[in-house]
Structures are given as structure tokens and as C-alpha cells.
Amino acid sequence: MAVNLRYELETAGWAHCTIKIDEQRAEITASYLSDALGDLCAAVVALLRGDRSASAPFAEEPGEFRWQFDVHDGDQLRVRIYWNEVEASWGEGLPDPSTPIFDGLCRLRTFAGQVVAELQRLLREHGQTGYKERWVLNDFPTKRLEQLEALLSDGAAGRPTSA
């Protein structure tokens, strides 16, 4: 399963993200009204720590793209992206039951590896200062990058943790 993730900082406070899993492809945007990249990283960290589902918002003006992640059969990750015209209607419940604009299946570790590679590229390209200048309200997710790298180097990542 081929996975490709590209996250580009556009003009101040705007980002463009392309996700491709096999033949499924989506291009979405995000505004600085949410910490889009930080939230995406936090969701992947949670999954690698054993959570079976997680989500991440990409705020728009108005509206929101919502990434929904669900782990099945060990390391199989279902990635869906939903669009909602009015951000406030999402609430804390389940994703909008409408048809997702993206629906792909890949290995969790493969997806997480793509997130790490994209974070590393962004850091090389912009540095922490340049990222903050472009994204405005949120810093580069350095801590999340470190967590992802550590979890991927740990062979136990993605297995449910015992209490």
C-alpha cells in the first residue's frame, strides 16, 4: 500500500495538505484557527500508543475537515476525511455520518512514518522560526515529532497498552 502525505505552508495562516493512499487521493486546506499539523500528530501519537481511534480537525473559514482514524486487525489503519460546512455542529460526538471525501486503508506504521518524514521536511525547509512566522498562532510540533520518532523506533508501537 503506497502512502504519500504532503503538508505545505501557504500564505500566512494557511496550509495545503495532500493525502494519497494507493489510488485514493484528497487535497484539503487548513487555516491557523486550529493547530492542524499539531492535531494530526497528536492523533497519530495516540494511535501508536494503542488507541483504536482518533480524530484531528483542520479548521477552515468557515467549516472544517475532520480526519477520522480507526485501527483494525492489528496494524491496519482506516483513514477517512469528512467535510463539514459549519464547524460548530461537529460537537464532541461521532463524525458527521455523511460520505467521507477520502477513505483509505494502510498500515499504521506506514502512515506514521509518512507523518514523521513530512514533519522532518517542514523543519528542514522552514525551521521553527519560519514555521511560526507562516502558521502564526502555533509553534512547530517539535515535541510531537520527538514522540512519533520514539514510538516508531519502539517495536511495541500500535499495540494496546495494559493498565
Side-chain angles (χ1 to χ4, degrees), residues 50-72:
D51 286 4
R52 305 321 282 167
S53 65
S55 64
F58 274 32
E60 273 287 340
E61 298 176 24
E64 174 184 80
F65 290 100
R66 168 110 18 202
W67 296 71
Q68 178 63 43
F69 302 101
D70 295 290
V71 178
H72 304 280

Side-chain angles (χ1 to χ4, degrees), residues 5-89:
L5 178 71
R6 185 76 173 188
Y7 189 92
E8 293 287 345
L9 296 174
E10 302 288 332
T11 58
W14 286 97
H16 181 263
C17 182
T18 303
I19 175 71
K20 185 172 186 221
I21 298 177
D22 292 329
E23 299 305 314
Q24 296 291 317
R25 177 186 169 98
E27 294 187 27
I28 63 175
T29 54
S31 83
Y32 69 102
L33 294 178
S34 68
D35 184 8
L37 189 58
D39 291 340
L40 180 65
C41 294
V44 176
V45 165
L47 295 169
L48 288 171
R49 288 183 171 160
D51 286 4
R52 305 321 282 167
S53 65
S55 64
F58 274 32
E60 273 287 340
E61 298 176 24
E64 174 184 80
F65 290 100
R66 168 110 18 202
W67 296 71
Q68 178 63 43
F69 302 101
D70 295 290
V71 178
H72 304 280
D73 301 324
D75 193 31
Q76 289 299 301
L77 178 66
R78 184 173 184 193
V79 179
R80 289 173 290 171
I81 301 173
Y82 295 87
W83 167 251
N84 191 4
E85 191 68 35
V86 183
E87 179 180 347
S89 68

